[in-house]
Amino acid sequence: MMHRISLGACALAVAIALPSLTVAAPRSGGYPAAGGAVRTTEPVFRAAPPAAAAPQARPAPPAGGGFNFNRDIAPPARPAPAAPPPVARFAPPARPAPVAPQPNRPAPAYRRAPNTNASGGQYQGRFIGPIVRNPHAPGGTWGWNHGVAWRPAPVYWGGGFWGAFALAALSDALLFGSVIDDQDQLIYPSYQIQPDTPGWDLLQDYELQQTPCGPPNLVVIWGPDNSVICAVPNDQVGPGNYQVDPSTFTLVPAQ
Amino acid sequence: MLAQGVAAAEGVTRVQQSDGSVQVYDHTNIQLTGDTLRLRSPDRKGVLYVESGACSFVGSLQRCLPFMTTLHQHGETHQIALEHGAVYMNLTDSAHHMPHSSQRLEPHAVLVLLHTARGTFVSVKGTMDAAK
């Protein structure tokens, strides 16, 4: 099953947990003195000496107050001896694909396309229209987003347009097909998009159904940061390569 | 735009370390400038900046994806690498339900969820003290 970051469920869990946290006495030694505003769930024994209040393995609170991010700001551990870099290899989707894989096309050992702020892969610069009108998006620039400009978030696949796919958490097991660029010997991975995202809404507007990338004659949609997804063609959108115009929420075909 | 709150900040920040220990910071001051949240510790000695992108709307709530956090503390600045997270903001004057949840987000409230690259979970919930 596709790994998803269930934002709604996560939000609910935290929201519920926040008011029900166990309240303990403030730790001695370093936490803010102003009003005793910092609490900790660690057990604290008032009679014990300060040094025994926390196991040594735990990070000491900031000596001068503030937030405790000691583990996050500590220097990184010494790296292990350098190993030869792994070769990125294409792996087929973990789940059965609704469309048969492209025949006679073994998976090449190309490297992954770098995550850049470009868009369109090997078709970059060829998306010149004519625009396929979005029948449902409100008019005007950024009208679909309440007039607020949408900007990609760098540490997520597709800048977060298709969902909260943290690049650090993605793996071949999550692939939903891929697009292979033989000319540049690159692989553009694709993933199953998440509901309640701009990408999901875009497909809904065009009544498109996502399908794993790979087979020919699909609607290939290039999104922000060189992301790509594929869909089954329909009456509104024929097979071919398209680029998302985030400002108008439309598809622009490659020529 | 919200004026600087006269009442004490009501944000609650919860930091769960990778070893399971938890610190809770009541009265966190929360300010929003553009797509950046500024979270100030109750003792005013630490400030965490959370920069977000990919902001879109889920119903009436704005949801963003945080991609960079910076801690200013003790005269030093530290980048804290993020793995993923989410920021929900209610910029309206009425309460709205969180997506797929019965939980409501009050007017001008925020909910921040962060998972750092080193395994620290951070949550922040409260009303914005200022927004511009």
Side-chain angles (χ1 to χ4, degrees):
Chain A
M1 186 65 188
M2 175 95 183
H3 168 71
R4 292 182 178 176
I5 300 165
S6 182
L7 297 174
C10 188
L12 173 62
V14 173
I16 292 172
L18 274 173
S20 60
L21 293 169
T22 304
V23 179
R27 290 172 60 168
S28 59
Y31 279 116
V38 181
R39 294 177 275 143
T40 174
T41 57
E42 293 176 293
V44 175
F45 303 95
R46 292 180 184 278
Q56 289 184 349
R58 296 188 173 179
F67 293 117
N68 186 352
F69 282 96
N70 289 0
R71 289 178 183 271
D72 292 274
I73 64 177
R78 287 183 63 182
V87 177
R89 293 182 183 275
F90 169 71
R95 73 195 70 200
V99 180
Q102 189 173 355
N104 303 321
R105 184 63 201 270
Y110 296 160
R111 66 185 175 89
R112 287 281 181 90
N115 188 61
T116 68
N117 58 7
S119 178
Q122 67 267 44
Y123 299 95
Q124 189 176 351
R126 292 173 53 186
F127 299 95
I128 54 176
I131 292 171
V132 183
R133 191 181 72 85
N134 185 327
H136 298 290
T141 303
W142 307 115
W144 65 275
N145 200 30
H146 297 206
V148 178
W150 186 94
R151 307 281 183 223
V155 300
Y156 302 87
W157 174 68
F161 187 81
W162 311 104
F165 296 93
L167 291 172
L170 290 174
S171 69
D172 284 355
L174 305 177
L175 280 173
F176 204 55
S178 60
V179 172
I180 297 169
D181 174 4
D182 286 316
Q183 184 175 341
D184 296 323
Q185 299 193 345
L186 293 173
I187 292 176
Y188 293 88
S190 186
Y191 304 95
Q192 196 165 22
I193 66 177
Q194 297 174 344
D196 296 331
T197 61
W200 175 274
D201 291 341
L202 183 77
L203 291 196
Q204 296 292 306
D205 283 355
Y206 285 102
E207 299 178 5
L208 288 168
Q209 178 73 43
Q210 189 186 10
T211 190
C213 292
N217 299 319
L218 296 179
V219 175
V220 180
I221 302 175
W222 295 88
D225 294 357
N226 263 337
S227 59
V228 64
I229 64 129
C230 297
V232 178
N234 63 15
D235 292 342
Q236 298 181 57
V237 189
N241 284 273
Y242 299 81
Q243 186 179 45
V244 177
D245 180 346
S247 65
T248 59
F249 220 49
T250 55
L251 296 176
V252 185
Q255 298 295 318
Chain B
M1 174 182 292
L2 294 174
Q4 183 71 37
V6 176
E10 295 180 355
V12 178
T13 301
R14 182 180 187 271
V15 180
Q16 179 174 325
Q17 312 291 336
S18 56
D19 68 351
S21 62
V22 175
Q23 293 84 45
V24 179
Y25 303 86
D26 292 330
H27 307 302
T28 300
N29 181 275
I30 304 172
Q31 296 187 27
L32 174 67
T33 303
D35 291 333
T36 302
L37 273 172
R38 177 183 183 273
L39 309 170
R40 191 182 67 201
S41 65
D43 61 3
R44 299 171 178 246
K45 292 182 177 178
V47 177
L48 186 69
Y49 289 91
V50 181
E51 192 171 344
S52 299
C55 296
S56 58
F57 286 82
V58 184
S60 297
L61 299 179
Q62 191 173 33
R63 181 178 62 199
C64 303
L65 299 180
F67 60 87
M68 189 166 71
T69 50
T70 308
L71 178 67
H72 295 265
Q73 196 159 272
H74 311 150
E76 297 179 350
T77 300
H78 302 275
Q79 298 279 341
I80 296 177
L82 277 184
E83 184 167 297
H84 59 78
V87 175
Y88 289 89
M89 289 181 283
N90 182 357
L91 303 176
T92 74
D93 293 327
S94 53
H96 294 283
H97 283 282
M98 299 286 295
H100 312 297
S101 169
S102 59
Q103 182 76 24
R104 297 200 316 172
L105 206 54
E106 298 303 313
H108 309 291
V110 297
L111 175 63
V112 182
L113 308 164
L114 306 174
H115 183 205
T116 75
R118 296 201 179 173
T120 304
F121 286 94
V122 182
S123 67
V124 185
K125 189 178 183 186
T127 304
M128 283 181 277
D129 295 276
K132 29 185 169 174

